[in-house]
Amino acid sequence: MLKPALRDKRTAAPANWQDVAHGTWLQSQVEQVLAPHIERLYGYHFAAVGPLSAHLSLPKSAIKHCFTLAEGHGKHVNVCAESTQLPFAEASLDAILLACELEFAQDPHQVLREVSHSLIADGKLIYVGFNPFAWHQVQQLWPRQVNQLPWRGRSFTRARVLDWLALLNFEVCETHYFAPSFLQQRWQWPERLATKAHQWLPQLASCYFIVARKREYPLTLLPERSKRKRVQPNLQTVPLANQTQLKE
């Protein structure tokens, strides 16, 4: 039975990628995977939500106004706010990036609802999440690793996140697993094993990403056209000159 996504207590999120195990390498993998998708974005406003999203070095896109949002202050943060209470008007953003934000949010459902509220119709969401079935999850067997990052957060399966997005009328454009690793730089032989096994078992990679488009359907019902056409008699009047009169 699945545990509810809502938590009783809040989990401290990482302030940057260096707080995560093997974070520098993991950050480079995320940047490499997201680069072609960021370049294809278009519109007017693009928000990178979360501290990990704010510290990503992403290529320039066609969207001119790109900014970062996180709860804490810092040189990489342009807007200080919580992901569960985005300070944007409805349908005001063209694209949103969420990098490992649901894992540390107290209410992941509320985060996605805020994202759906802020995106315009056909706006894009790019989400990156930690895989709960990854190779690095074996480190949870050590008690000292439980309180470390990323094991301190709660990872959600890709299928579960896809279900949440489907309920919010998101259409999935692309999704893949990437970055196979035990997140231990010292384990050279297991790291090589995870890399070679990725082509046969991609579901054991450390992360996955989802590119989804927000869809909206009109609520105004169009009147149904009547299939039956009114039959109108095609009456033609006969000129008086052509009329024949009976003679007595």
Side-chain angles (χ1 to χ4, degrees):
M1 184 177 180
L2 294 176
K3 295 181 180 180
L6 182 64
R7 294 193 183 102
D8 297 332
K9 296 182 180 180
R10 192 173 183 178
T11 304
N16 50 58
W17 289 95
Q18 283 67 35
D19 295 340
V20 183
H22 214 356
T24 304
W25 174 84
L26 195 58
Q27 178 182 358
S28 64
Q29 294 293 309
V30 175
E31 293 173 350
Q32 182 179 357
V33 169
L34 296 186
H37 301 282
I38 299 296
E39 293 175 352
R40 289 197 295 265
L41 295 177
Y42 60 91
Y44 299 97
H45 307 287
F46 171 51
V49 178
L52 297 183
S53 302
H55 285 80
L56 291 174
S57 299
L58 300 174
K60 293 183 179 180
S61 64
I63 301 179
K64 296 182 179 180
H65 185 207
C66 301
F67 60 95
T68 59
L69 181 146
E71 187 174 354
H73 297 276
K75 63 179 182 179
H76 297 280
V77 179
N78 303 124
V79 180
C80 182
E82 296 181 2
S83 58
T84 54
Q85 297 178 354
L86 297 181
F88 306 122
E90 183 179 1
S92 58
L93 299 179
D94 298 277
I96 293 179
L97 169 63
L98 283 178
C100 307
E101 184 67 17
L102 300 182
E103 285 79 357
F104 307 98
Q106 186 175 3
D107 190 356
H109 294 164
Q110 180 61 25
V111 175
L112 294 179
R113 283 193 292 265
E114 289 290 319
V115 169
S116 177
H117 178 269
S118 302
L119 282 175
I120 65 172
D122 291 335
K124 280 192 175 182
L125 166 65
I126 302 178
Y127 173 73
V128 178
F130 286 110
N131 182 16
F133 302 125
W135 297 97
H136 67 261
Q137 295 295 341
V138 299
Q139 298 191 52
Q140 289 187 342
L141 300 177
W142 285 266
R144 65 178 182 177
Q145 294 293 97
V146 175
N147 295 325
Q148 302 298 322
L149 292 171
W151 302 278
R152 187 169 61 194
R154 182 181 173 187
S155 302
F156 300 99
T157 62
R158 185 183 67 166
R160 191 171 184 181
V161 177
L162 291 177
D163 287 341
W164 294 345
L165 294 177
L167 292 176
L168 295 173
N169 292 331
F170 276 89
E171 177 188 3
V172 178
C173 303
E174 192 171 351
T175 174
H176 289 292
Y177 292 96
F178 68 97
S181 173
F182 284 90
L183 298 185
Q184 284 292 340
Q185 192 174 2
R186 297 174 298 176
W187 298 358
Q188 297 182 1
W189 182 81
E191 289 292 326
R192 291 195 298 267
L193 174 63
T195 303
K196 292 182 179 180
H198 179 65
Q199 56 181 341
W200 295 290
L201 295 172
Q203 296 82 2
L204 300 181
S206 299
C207 299
Y208 61 89
F209 78 92
I210 300 173
V211 180
R213 180 183 289 110
K214 179 184 174 181
R215 290 299 193 187
E216 288 187 356
Y217 302 96
L219 298 179
T220 304
L221 298 178
L222 298 177
E224 185 179 0
R225 295 182 178 180
S226 178
K227 297 181 180 179
R228 297 180 180 179
K229 296 182 179 180
R230 295 181 180 180
V231 180
Q232 298 180 355
N234 188 11
L235 300 179
Q236 296 181 356
T237 58
V238 180
L240 294 175
N242 296 336
Q243 293 181 1
T244 59
Q245 297 181 356
L246 298 177
K247 296 182 180 180
E248 294 180 356

